[in-house]
Structures are given as C-alpha cells and as structure tokens.
Amino acid sequence: MKVLGFRGDPKAPRYAIVSEIGGSFTLENTSDDTKLSVPASISDDADAERIEWIYREILRIFDEHTDITKVMIKANEYTQNDTKAKRRSAHNEAAVMLACAHRNMPVEVKIYASIATKSGDTKRHAESRVGKTAKYWDNKMADAVNVAWWGVRHP
C-alpha cells in the first residue's frame, strides 16, 4: 500500500509518500521533492491561480506515482484567531480533495488528535515511525509523514 500525505501551507505545501511492505514503512520521497513551492509568478492575492497550480501539482504526483491508493491530509488546528494563511492552507487542501475526486482517489482529513501525535512531538514521531527527509525537514513535513503513516496503518 502506498499513501500520499499532504500538509497545506500557503506558500510551500509539503507532501510525503509512504509505503508499507511486510510491516516495514518506507518514506518513498526521502531525498526527492517534498516541497511544493508556489511559483513566484503567482502573487499573494492570486488565490484562484494558486488553487489551480496546486491541483495540477497533485495530478502530476498521481501520474508519477500511479500506485498511490489513498491520500491523507493533515489539516490545520483551527481556532477563533485564524489567519489569512490558514485560509490559504484550507484552499490548498480543497484543491487536493478536488484532484482526488477527479481521480476517484480516497481521501481523508485528519488533525493531530486523530493521528496520535501533537505539534511538539510530530518530528520525533515521524522520524521513529518512518524516517525523515534529507532537506526541508520541519514540522509541516513531519505532519505529512505522520498523516501518510497513519493512512498506511489504517487502510
């Protein structure tokens, strides 16, 4: 089984591809691309362009990894003080869901409580469960790894 884990970010969403064979978990893109940097040509206020771009990037990932069986999204932990950045992250998540719908790909959205970690532990848990990336290793990338791991463990 192979799962795409996604963590939205307004400027550079992260994704992890985790597989499991015989009880062993592997981070498939440990040294490959893990960060979807929004092109400089897309301005901060160009929400529609950003959504279309992320949608096409997800389709590209699906085309490159045809054996992905499910997508897991680690959503923001929303509060009453949400910011424009969190709304843009939600837009990215929606673009991923739309790409999944168009490819008939199962998708689930999770928060920390539903993937057995929390913000302060996400990097440690991701490293012990699956591993870490060679670059761009931060909490957002760890979230993508953890949510993908959860998806593989709970088909």
Side-chain angles (χ1 to χ4, degrees), residues 1-4 68-72 105-108 151 154-155:
M1 174 177 224
K2 189 182 281 190
V3 173
L4 170 69
I68 290 173
T69 55
K70 180 167 57 170
V71 174
M72 302 290 293
M105 179 78 62
V107 61
E108 294 180 36
H154 299 90

Side-chain angles (χ1 to χ4, degrees), residues 21-69:
I21 298 173
S24 178
F25 300 98
T26 302
L27 178 57
E28 302 267 329
N29 59 329
T30 190
S31 58
D32 295 333
D33 196 16
T34 60
K35 183 177 178 181
L36 300 172
S37 297
V38 176
S41 61
I42 298 177
S43 72
D44 283 344
D45 295 324
D47 289 333
E49 287 178 56
R50 181 178 297 100
I51 291 168
E52 180 183 9
W53 176 81
I54 197 74
Y55 170 83
R56 293 190 187 288
E57 285 295 296
I58 296 303
L59 293 181
R60 177 189 59 79
I61 293 167
F62 288 163
D63 290 341
E64 290 175 1
H65 300 273
T66 57
D67 52 348
I68 290 173
T69 55

Side-chain angles (χ1 to χ4, degrees), residues 10 76 78-89:
N76 284 313
Y78 292 101
T79 65
Q80 291 183 348
N81 299 324
D82 288 337
T83 62
K84 191 173 188 178
K86 278 192 177 181
R87 287 192 300 275
R88 286 198 174 131
S89 288

